[in-house]
Each structure stands twice: as C-alpha cells, then as structure tokens.
Amino acid sequence: MGETVAGNEAAPGLVLLCRQGPPRLLGPLLLEYLGLEALPLTLAAHGVDGLMSAAGFHRREDGRGVWEREGRALMVGEETLEDGGRLVWVVPLPWTGERVAERVRYLSLASHDLRGSLANIRSYAALLLNGRVPLEPKAQRGLETILRNADRSLAFAQDFFDSSRAELGALAVEREHQPLLPILDAAVERMRAAASAASVALVLDPLPDLPDMEVDAGRIQHALEAFVHHHLVRAQPGEELHVRAARLGHQVRVEVRRDGAPVPPEDILAVFQCEERAFRERKLEDPLRVFLALQEVEAHGGQVGAQTDAGGSTLFLMLPVPRAREVAHPAGWQA
C-alpha cells in the first residue's frame, strides 16, 4: 500500500492479530522493545492499548502514537489488513521526552526566524502591488514573481518544520468531531486555480453518506492538497482529477484519482519515500509535501497508499471511524 513509518531507521517489532486464533508474533523484536517475555493474554481483546499498558508504557499526551516508559519512547501503530486482521508494529524512538521538548523549541526558533524574514519580503511586495504606487510593467512582473516565490517558500518552510516535528512525535494535531465534506470541498476549491492553470479538470465526486470523523480539518485538507499537487505536476492538459470518499468497514477511504497516463510501478512505490525521491528528482518540495501528508494521516491513526493501473493513478488515505466512546464535541458545542 505504500505505507512507511516516518522518522525511524530501526526495524519494527511486529505482531499479527488474526480474526480467528491467537496473536502471531512475527520475530523477536517486539518483545525485546517492550521488555516482555511473552505476549499478554489480553492482547487480542484490547489491542495496542492493552499491549502497551501491560508493558508499563503510557501514551505521550503531545505525540500521537508515541508511548513512553522511564525515558524510553516507542512509536506504535496498527494497520487493518484485507482479511480483517490487524498488524501491530512497534519501533523505538531515539528521543527522550526531555530531548524532544528541547528539539521542538529549537525548531520553533528556526521556524520563527526563517518565516519572519520571508513574511517581511512578502508584505513589502504586496504593499507595492496594492495599486497605490505606479509601477512600470517590468517592475510589476518582478514584484509578482517575488510575491509568488515568497508564498511558495513560506509553504515549503511550514512543511519542513511540521515534518521535522512529526518525526519527533510532536506534530500538533487538534481533532474535532466534524463531517468530511467541508474539508474535501475546501481542498478542491483551494486547488482549483492551480488545476485550471494546468488545463486539468478537478472534480469533487458526489459523496455517499459518511460518518462524522474525529480529525484536524487543516491537517487532512493539507494531505488532500498534497495529493492533488502531486498529480498536477504529472498530469497532461485535458486529464481529470477526481476527489472521492467512501466508507470501508470501520474506516473511511478518501482518494485523489488521476484519469490519464499510467505511472510506472517503481514511481508509485516510491511516492511516500521522501529522501529517495528528493535525491532522484533533485527537488524536495513535492516529496516533502507528500511525506508530510503521510505523517499527518498517521497522526490520526490512519494509513496512506498509492495505486496505478492502465487508466491512471490514485493516492488515497484511510481514516478510522471513531467509536462512540471516542466522540468528543468541539469546544463551544452546546446541546
């Protein structure tokens, strides 16, 4: 499916939770990372929470999927398989809680300094373009170029620092109980001008009835826009992009489909491999943007994937449908 575990080089410890039968340990690493001699008997019933609690780990409040015990940090995830089973993976993080906080403060300082300078450049360019100062055509075009490049650099800087925080398990994600349609619609509308400039039709397909989700709207919108960006770079004039969603069991799948020339299998397998693509393509912007989309989805407990066929290619994300006990009303909600 193209999923990766962000920011880790160590091999994962794996255990397979079958639909029927006992859990199957896939190698010794999981028990080694957890400091256990055997899997807890309640693993099949209680999943990740039961496994980590049995090993004495507690979930880090500011890092989704990160668990800690006595200064040791693990990234933990769970993926649903096609047969209904679940694959649980555990990977050690090299960062203690104190070191993570120190690194996040460092990144915040760097982000402030870099984005502050870029924002000043953008502000002055926009001020000169407001029509109050007469400009020669050449100066006008030059300032418009500065403005576009400043916007692009600000977006790239934001993606870079967000991805760096995600690798530390410290990506800010503020979930609220809300429908998906407004998020999908906002992403399509924001990307419509870029699609039009590329002579590509961008369509939000009619959606079936979908459950409300527990998501950070900004993060999911960014992930969808990253998928659209990726397709637009490769789309030919006259092709179509379709944004659609459907419920699949206890998950909702949202996809961006490009109807057009197929993508080589080696390219589709590397879509979410940030460094590999950056070195190969000699550009970081799109690889980083798509990789951050992966990190944003994983922060929601979801997965991403990519597919190609004779009719085009698809990037998709899968988000878990919240259980009734997980539903929380947004701040300010009243009955």
Side-chain angles (χ1 to χ4, degrees):
M1 285 177 56
E3 295 90 353
T4 65
V5 180
N8 296 288
E9 296 182 357
L14 302 171
V15 60
L16 178 62
L17 307 184
C18 306
R19 290 187 63 186
Q20 297 180 345
R24 293 172 52 193
L25 192 63
L26 306 180
L29 287 179
L30 183 133
L31 295 181
E32 178 182 332
Y33 294 155
L34 297 179
L36 296 175
E37 295 184 358
L39 294 174
L41 298 177
T42 59
L43 174 57
H46 296 91
V48 168
D49 288 351
L51 174 66
M52 301 308 292
S53 297
F57 284 80
H58 63 275
R59 190 187 297 270
R60 183 188 294 168
E61 294 181 359
D62 61 349
R64 282 71 175 176
V66 178
W67 295 72
E68 292 182 317
R69 184 190 69 191
E70 299 175 353
R72 181 173 177 79
L74 300 175
M75 178 75 75
V76 184
E78 184 179 70
E79 300 180 13
T80 301
L81 305 178
E82 292 182 358
D83 63 358
R86 292 172 292 161
L87 181 67
V88 175
W89 52 263
V90 176
V91 181
L93 290 175
W95 303 93
T96 64
E98 181 178 346
R99 179 63 176 139
V100 165
E102 179 182 338
R103 186 65 177 177
V104 169
R105 288 196 298 270
Y106 174 83
L107 290 171
S108 297
L109 288 172
S111 176
H112 177 271
D113 289 351
L114 177 59
R115 288 171 53 81
S117 299
L118 290 171
N120 282 338
I121 294 171
R122 187 199 186 285
S123 296
Y124 283 117
L127 180 64
L128 293 172
L129 286 169
N130 65 8
R132 298 180 181 178
V133 179
L135 297 171
E136 296 181 358
K138 186 174 182 179
Q140 175 91 13
R141 291 192 298 272
L143 287 170
E144 290 172 349
T145 300
I146 291 173
L147 190 62
R148 285 195 303 271
N149 286 339
D151 285 337
R152 182 175 176 178
S153 296
L154 283 167
F156 175 80
Q158 184 67 55
D159 288 350
F160 178 83
F161 287 110
D162 278 352
S163 181
S164 298
R165 293 186 183 97
E167 291 183 343
L168 299 172
L171 180 67
V173 178
E174 299 180 2
R175 304 189 197 187
E176 289 191 353
H177 187 64
Q178 56 192 304
L180 277 176
L181 176 57
I183 301 174
L184 273 59
D185 187 61
V188 169
E189 288 304 314
R190 194 162 186 270
M191 295 302 302
R192 199 172 293 283
S196 178
S199 299
V200 173
L202 178 58
V203 181
L204 176 60
D205 289 357
L207 300 181
D209 290 335
L210 297 173
D212 286 355
M213 307 292 287
E214 287 284 336
V215 296
D216 183 320
R219 293 294 179 193
I220 299 304
Q221 180 178 334
H222 176 274
L224 290 172
E225 291 175 6
F227 289 178
V228 174
H229 265 294
H230 180 80
H231 281 313
L232 285 178
V233 172
R234 292 152 181 79
Q236 300 297 318
E239 293 184 347
E240 293 185 354
L241 299 185
H242 291 266
V243 178
R244 51 178 70 120
R247 179 166 183 169
L248 301 176
H250 62 282
Q251 294 181 305
V252 170
R253 170 177 166 132
V254 182
E255 66 179 39
V256 181
R257 165 76 179 179
R258 177 170 72 90
D259 292 331
V263 176
E266 59 272 20
D267 289 346
I268 208 71
L269 290 174
V271 166
F272 299 102
Q273 303 299 321
C274 183
E275 291 188 9
E276 178 182 335
R277 284 188 54 207
F279 289 133
R280 185 177 63 187
E281 299 172 16
R282 299 182 181 274
K283 292 181 180 179
L284 180 56
E285 188 174 10
D286 185 70
L288 177 66
R289 185 164 47 224
V290 175
F291 182 61
L292 176 56
L294 175 148
Q295 294 171 308
E296 291 171 318
V297 173
E298 287 187 342
H300 286 79
Q303 306 93 35
V304 299
Q307 298 171 332
T308 185
D309 54 56
S313 58
T314 302
L315 299 182
F316 65 88
L317 59 89
M318 305 283 285
L319 295 171
V321 175
R323 301 173 184 174
R325 63 180 176 83
E326 296 175 342
V327 173
H329 296 298
W333 180 89
Q334 294 181 353

